[in-house]
Amino acid sequence: MRSFAPWIVSLLGASVVVSATDTSADAPSDVVTLTKDSFDDFMKAHDLVLAEFYAPWCGHCKALAPKYEEAATELKGKNIPLVKVDCTAEEELCRDNGVEGYPTLKIFRGPESSKPYQGARQADSIVSYMVKQSLPAVSPVTEDNLEDVKTMDKIVVIGYLPSDDKAANDAFTSFAESQRDNYLFAATSDSAIAKAEGVKQPSIVLYKDFDEKKAVYDGKLDQEAILSWVKTASTPLVGEIGPETYSGYMAAGIPLAYIFAETQEEREKFTEDFKPIAEKHKGAINIATIDAKMFGAHAGNLNLDPQQFPAFAIQDPEKNTKYPYDQTKEINAKDIAKFIQDVLDGKVEPSIKSEPIPETQEGPVTVVVAHSYQDLVIDNDKDVLLEFYAPWCGHCKALAPKYDELAALYSGDLASKVTIAKIDATANDVPDSITGFPTIKLYPAGAKDSPVEYSGSRTVEDLADFVKENGKHKVDGLEASSQETEEGADVTASASASSTETEAPAATEDEKADHDEL
């Protein structure tokens, strides 16, 4: 569960955007500018290209520009060009390449073959990512190039595998293919090289430029087991959370402990103090420092006071549980070690941020908060359509009147089968994966653990059809509303015809039809 990912991503990027400056258009550049007329020919002439699709007014594009330029200069010597396309001038080219936001980074192997760039937007990360793309999934290792290969990247994974062990070689190659975007892989079958490195065949060694510098895996060559080991071995005992590392921590699949500190000196001291704790719990929890001056606002997402530092909290991204440490207490290794152990042992109740439960429900849409979520969304036999929104979200504001209209369709008897609800996902902890606003999900009766996310147009009709098609009760709110409208019109017409106070003629059938439609 990673419901707060959008907020931390924006927080981690905010300071960068603010401090970024435009690169001069007149300055020499190693980034190649392409247009519709030059794009295809350039891609055909180069085996591997990283392309940025941008808009001149985009703040994130401006923040990326100097880093992209730095990476282009370093990669130029490796014959890996970096290019850019101005989407305000080349709308058709950007549309043809599926660009929906800025900046969009894509890797091209010819004009017709592309895939998204999924690395961090830092110069060294871009260089590392593109070098991996330029190499085969598994590079050969010899006695002469071993030392160079070991230092080609921050993380290098080398397989020491005998040539006659086909199963081991196939497993390692398959794993390398699946993870080539994330790690650099190499292999050798030379037993003399393995002996010189102090390992037996078959085994895998992960080389890194931090902590103990080297980790050895000699377990079962199962892809899931190897991946788990690589993730653990490649993570610093006490790292630092920032734009280039955040996604890795979130993808690790284990809890993350944050140490918020305002100065570099504090963070360095905490790093040393907490290394023994991190070593003890390696593979069970990651521990990292975070710059409280730059990213302190994120403390609020962990239910900490974002104005009081240093601070400590644990968060489990998979369960979206948060464990803030009492901010009136000192942050020291002894007490934090006990707190971490208690959290891992399930002795600490997670903190839940929630607005007060409304005393009464005002309006047709049911308001859900964290403390009423289980009751109103999960523990009932209704089909529940839930909108996760943010008060500042313009799209959410535009949806509001339509969502009210939708909710009104399920009044009366239908209210026992369908609930149309909403929750402020910025003010309440929610056990759902939210990547943008508004996010709308249907929780069908009897299958609450398998919600269906809505991706259609935000019209009353389409939302009602979605509820009917995916809900257990198959309620057609539009049809029910139409029937009520017709019945109401008939009653009105009958009362009007029998009234002695009106001299107006009875409506014709055509006029009734027009009125009913309105």
Side-chain angles (χ1 to χ4, degrees), residues 141-144 146 160 188 190-199:
V141 171
T142 66
E143 186 177 351
D144 292 335
L146 174 62
Y160 293 90
T188 179
D190 191 330
S191 59
I193 297 178
K195 183 177 180 180
E197 286 297 298
V199 296

Side-chain angles (χ1 to χ4, degrees), residues 206-417:
L206 184 146
Y207 297 91
K208 49 191 173 180
D209 63 358
F210 54 87
D211 292 343
E212 74 276 27
K213 308 296 184 182
K214 176 180 175 180
V216 180
Y217 179 81
D218 54 8
K220 183 179 179 182
L221 292 181
D222 170 79
Q223 291 209 28
E224 188 173 333
I226 298 173
L227 179 58
S228 176
W229 172 78
V230 168
K231 283 183 175 180
T232 300
S234 62
T235 303
L237 285 175
V238 181
E240 181 152 5
I241 298 169
E244 68 284 354
T245 61
Y246 174 74
S247 60
Y249 279 120
M250 289 296 98
I254 59 177
L256 173 61
Y258 297 76
I259 309 168
F260 287 87
E262 294 181 304
T263 68
Q264 181 67 30
E265 291 74 20
E266 281 184 307
R267 292 193 295 277
E268 289 176 356
K269 184 179 185 305
F270 283 131
T271 296
E272 291 305 313
D273 290 349
F274 281 59
K275 276 186 177 179
I277 304 171
E279 180 68 46
K280 177 181 178 181
H281 298 293
K282 192 171 185 178
I285 187 171
N286 285 323
I287 302 176
T289 62
I290 183 169
D291 188 336
K293 283 188 176 179
M294 295 184 69
F295 312 124
H298 179 54
N301 295 324
L302 300 171
N303 299 350
L304 290 166
D305 179 353
Q307 303 297 324
Q308 185 177 341
F309 301 111
F312 182 87
I314 297 173
Q315 183 233 351
D316 187 337
E318 297 301 312
K319 300 176 182 177
N320 194 33
T321 48
K322 307 168 187 179
Y323 305 87
Y325 186 71
D326 187 346
Q327 287 175 274
T328 65
K329 296 181 179 179
E330 179 188 356
I331 306 295
N332 62 68
K334 179 182 178 181
D335 293 339
I336 293 298
K338 183 179 186 307
F339 181 71
I340 290 175
Q341 187 66 62
D342 287 345
V343 169
L344 294 177
D345 291 343
K347 296 179 180 179
V348 180
E349 288 294 322
S351 168
I352 299 177
K353 179 171 63 176
S354 178
E355 294 178 293
I357 297 177
E359 295 183 5
T360 58
Q361 292 288 348
E362 305 291 343
V365 178
T366 299
V367 176
V368 177
V369 298
H371 288 321
S372 64
Y373 182 93
Q374 194 70 24
D375 180 45
L376 295 178
V377 179
I378 306 300
D379 294 339
N380 56 65
D381 193 34
K382 296 182 181 182
D383 296 326
V384 180
L385 187 72
L386 182 62
E387 176 202 3
F388 299 86
Y389 75 95
W392 43 259
C393 166
H395 293 294
C396 303
K397 294 175 182 177
L399 174 64
K402 300 174 186 176
Y403 206 64
D404 284 344
E405 185 179 344
L406 174 73
L409 299 178
Y410 303 94
S411 58
D413 293 341
L414 298 188
S416 63
K417 296 181 178 179

Side-chain angles (χ1 to χ4, degrees), residues 63-84:
L64 173 62
K67 303 166 190 173
Y68 198 67
E69 188 68 50
E70 182 182 343
T73 299
E74 185 166 347
L75 288 170
K76 184 178 181 180
K78 302 179 185 297
N79 197 30
I80 304 175
L82 269 60
V83 305
K84 62 182 179 181

Side-chain angles (χ1 to χ4, degrees), residues 428-445:
N428 298 275
D429 287 336
V430 292
D432 295 84
S433 179
I434 308 302
T435 57
F437 299 116
T439 290
I440 302 172
K441 295 186 179 186
L442 179 70
Y443 296 78

